[in-house]
Amino acid sequence: MRRHLLLVLVLAVTLPTMAVLIVSSFAMIHQEWAMEAVTRSYVEDLAENVASWLNLDTPMWGGDSFASLIKKLRVFSWGPSLPGWVAVVTADGKILMASPGVSNLAAIWDPRIPIGKAVEVRDRKGDRYTIAVYPLDGGNHLVIAAVAWRQLIGPMLRFGHIWPVLIVLMTLTSLIAVWAMWRWLILPLKKMVTEVDILAWGKELPEADDPQAVFELGRLRRALYRLAKTAIERDDLRNRYVHDVVSVQEEEKKRIARDIHDGPLQDITAMIQQMRLFNMNHHCPPKESRHLKLAEEAAQIAVRDLRELCDELSPPWLDLGLEHALTELADRLARHNGIEITVEVEEQLFMPSEVVLAFFRIFQEAVSNAVRHGKATEVHGDVSLIDSSTVSFEIRDNGKGFEPYKSYEELRIQGHRGLANIMERLTTLHGEFEVKSAPGKGAVLRCLVPIPKDNEENQEGRQPRSGRTK
């Protein structure tokens, strides 16, 4: 009911008005039919009665009796007791006697009018009359009774004609009101609802104003515009904050990698050299020489681990481009995790350094999640252009899958930072993130990132190329 409330309101305004119009129209039509029947009966009775009175006074055109004179005075001098008039005419229409008010007989008289039956006629002005004719004196004379509708039911008729006009005006007013409500209230409100449903909060702005809407809806739209603008500003502030945090993290990783490389790594390397020099210059017994060899091997393992740590904190392959960076990362992760990892990057796909770093970290995080949580044995990454302004990075695995979460902020609160970290990376690039997964069906992570304008001209003449390592 509430879902269709607007339609119900429109029908509640329109249907009663239409019902009143229809009922009033039928009532007026039936009233007019009844008045026509009454008027016909009246003039027929008037003509018949006068003819009967005059036929009683015989011979009426020679010597008139006293009773005949009285009747003539009452009917033809005073007129009928009700509106109308009566006249005695010859067969050719010449008036012999008439009651007061007979002034338009010539305009309505027609010899073809049937005898004994009332009919409606109109004069030259269009006025309506009901007229009845009865024979007198064997048909040599005629009694004509007539009534003008204007005299008989003039006020009632005029009001009756005005009433449908008033009903029509009321109906038109109601329809205009419904149309105005639909145009300036309902349609703008439906438009606003549709716009809010598809509005990407924090990214898009609704229309600031709607000139077709009523004042109150205009104020509501302006308030909605301010809220959307505030959401964009807040999202921009959050994006800048995340960007700064990620930048600080990367700088800190570079600093730590540099300190490890210039500090402990160099010290352990120097220690290895000292042990080798000592072993060369001093002939140690086999037992001491074996311990020295084991210490040198342990130091070399530490050097290797520290270099891997430095490479992970600050990958040196990033300067070689996206394809080389992801290929090298896939090779290292495949060897480290003992799984098959493939990566495919379109040739001559030039990406800015921040995009290369973001994709590198996203792929690193996605593989780690697929191995640790999904128990995947195969991971495939695919970087391709969707159009001239958007690049897609899709990562698939054959793990056990999961139910995608609606809010990755909850994952961060619960301590699961993998997908939340990926979203943070994409936030710094103004990208979009989509996850498709189901239990037992693996997972697909899709990242969409807009390409900066200055890189669009470098995306032509591409051929796919893949790297595969196990």
Side-chain angles (χ1 to χ4, degrees), residues 39-100:
T39 305
R40 291 194 189 101
S41 177
Y42 169 69
V43 296
E44 287 175 359
D45 292 343
L46 179 60
E48 184 179 3
N49 290 335
V50 171
S52 298
W53 293 341
L54 293 178
N55 281 327
L56 289 175
D57 300 323
T58 57
M60 61 175 299
W61 306 119
D64 295 332
S65 65
F66 180 77
S68 178
L69 293 174
I70 294 300
K71 291 178 182 178
K72 292 176 184 177
L73 289 174
R74 288 180 178 179
V75 176
F76 296 103
S77 297
W78 296 352
S81 59
L82 294 177
W85 47 264
V86 64
V88 177
V89 301
T90 61
D92 56 0
K94 182 180 179 181
I95 298 176
L96 299 178
M97 291 178 293
S99 66

Side-chain angles (χ1 to χ4, degrees), residues 20 24-25 27-28 158-168 170:
V20 170
S24 300
S25 300
M28 291 303 300
R158 285 193 294 271
F159 179 76
H161 289 165
I162 293 174
W163 175 248
V165 174
L166 294 178
I167 293 296
V168 170
M170 184 178 68

